[in-house]
């Protein structure tokens, strides 16, 4: 009996499960999923959980139930590729024959003193729950500083504004304009929304230090009752500790078939993989589709194409609270209620069609 272990039940891990079950797993292959939590979490919605506009239950999806799938709940500590063992905290190691690593990402603090110790996060379910508790227990007129005005920071700031109209929200952006990866029209739309809803956007910022109740922008102190860090990500520490080739961002370098160059039985999916696009749930799912295809062809002893097709992304959608949004679908830029409705529809489809 061969054992296929998927480490991490994120978007990539879930999509592989969906493509292998119920009918495409050989009888001589045991399928194991390892995750810290007993359910899949919709990480793209953590900003709403933190802001208090969605409940814990709203961002959870049950893992597939199938007699061929063994769920193992634990925290991965390290991976030993030589002995093909996965070490977990407080448990005996688990062996594998084929491994898919989908452990996701963590905050990257860029060496800013005090940032890790004195800021809150929305990078994991556990961290987001703590952030929710802090934000929603703040007294009226408290100051909340959000460091990082990428998609996560923008969505958190807007959702928090709808949830807590009494708060003073400051959004620190390193660039000249907010969301520079989007067309200028969308950047201006988001900027105008923030001005209208009294979210202070501080452009060209450079956070040099963070204290328990303050941050320093270009060494100028800003008092804050809560500071949320959304200013960069890096691969999970387990992946950072792996002795494998990586790109300049610490993501694992892979072959065209998404496995390690020196080990065809270790795949990496999602935020830890070095891919041409920025990490996203959509990209992880596209990559997972191809990994599942490679596995199925191997099991059937069928030839695998030397080069797999480029992963096509349909677009990016962001929310500005519950009624407005923005995004790009193909070549079309969208703003307002249409963009928000599209995003809501995509999320509804995902949540209600993720079973096997």
């Amino acid at each position: 009996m061969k054992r296929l272990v998927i480490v991490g039940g994120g978007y990539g891990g879930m999509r592989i499960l969906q493509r292998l079950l119920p009918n495409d797993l050989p009888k001589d292959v045991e399928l194991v999923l390892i995750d810290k939590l007993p359910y899949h979490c919709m990480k793209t919605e953590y900003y709403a959980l933190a802001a208090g506009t969605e409940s814990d239950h709203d961002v959870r999806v049950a893992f597939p139930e199938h007699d061929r799938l063994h769920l193992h709940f634990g925290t991965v500590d390290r991976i030993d590729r030589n002995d093909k063992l996965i070490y977990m905290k407080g448990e005996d190691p688990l062996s594998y024959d084929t491994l898919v690593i989908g452990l996701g990402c963590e905050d990257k603090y860029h060496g800013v003193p005090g940032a890790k110790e004195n800021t809150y996060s929305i990078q994991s379910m556990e961290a987001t729950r703590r952030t929710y508790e802090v934000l929603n227990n703040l007294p009226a007129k408290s100051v909340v500083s959000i460091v990082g005005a990428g998609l996560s920071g923008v969505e958190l700031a807007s959702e928090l504004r709808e949830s807590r109209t009494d708060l003073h929200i400051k959004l620190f952006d390193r660039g000249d304009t907010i969301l520079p990866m989007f067309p200028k029209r969308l950047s201006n739309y988001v900027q105008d929304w923030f001005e209208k809803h009294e979210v202070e956007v501080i452009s060209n910022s450079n956070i040099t230090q963070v204290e328990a109740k303050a941050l320093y922008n270009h060494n100028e102190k800003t008092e804050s009752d809560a500071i949320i860090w959304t200013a960069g990500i890096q691969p999970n520490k387990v992946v950072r500790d792996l002795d494998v080739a990586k790109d300049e961002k610490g993501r694992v370098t892979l072959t065209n078939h998404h496995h390690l160059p020196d080990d065809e039985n270790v795949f990496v999916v999602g935020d830890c993989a070095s891919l041409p696009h920025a990490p996203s749930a959509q990209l992880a799912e596209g990559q997972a589709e191809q990994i599942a295809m490679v596995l199925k062809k191997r099991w059937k002893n069928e030839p695998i194409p030397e080069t797999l097709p480029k992963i096509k992304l349909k677009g990016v959608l962001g929310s500005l609270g519950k009624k407005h949004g923005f995004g790009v679908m193909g070549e079309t830029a969208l703003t307002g209620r249409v963009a928000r409705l599209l995003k809501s529809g995509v999320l509804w489809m995902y949540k209600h069609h993720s079973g096997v």
Side-chain angles (χ1 to χ4, degrees), residues 197-210:
H197 292 84
E198 298 182 334
V199 173
E200 183 181 359
V201 178
I202 298 138
S203 301
N204 298 303
S205 64
N206 180 29
I207 306 305
T208 53
Q209 184 180 344
V210 182

Side-chain angles (χ1 to χ4, degrees), residues 35-39 41 43 46 49-50 56 59-60 74-76 89 103 105 107 120-134 236:
D35 199 89
K36 290 187 294 185
L37 297 172
Y39 37 75
C41 299
K43 188 174 182 179
Y46 283 176
L49 174 59
D56 192 295
V59 300
R60 295 179 351 208
T75 301
V76 176
K89 293 178 181 176
L103 285 170
C105 60
D107 290 299
Y120 295 94
S121 169
I122 56 170
Q123 280 302 323
S124 71
M125 187 65 139
E126 304 94 313
T128 304
R129 285 171 175 150
R130 289 192 293 272
T131 302
Y132 159 78
E133 186 175 356
V134 168
N236 183 285

Side-chain angles (χ1 to χ4, degrees), residues 44-53 107 120-123 127-128 131-132 135-136 144-164 167 169-171 190 193-194 199 226-231 318-321 326 343:
T44 57
E45 295 303 287
Y46 283 176
Y47 71 91
L49 174 59
T53 57
D107 290 299
Y120 295 94
S121 169
I122 56 170
Q123 280 302 323
T128 304
T131 302
Y132 159 78
L135 290 177
N136 287 277
V144 175
S145 293
I146 299 171
V147 181
L151 190 58
S152 295
V154 164
E155 290 190 311
L156 176 60
S158 60
E159 202 81 6
L160 186 60
R161 165 51 71 231
E162 287 202 351
S163 173
R164 295 286 306 270
L167 296 175
I169 302 172
K170 298 176 182 288
L171 182 60
V190 174
W193 192 96
F194 281 139
V199 173
I227 304 165
I228 321 298
W229 192 269
T230 63
S319 68
L320 291 170
F326 59 94
K343 181 174 180 182

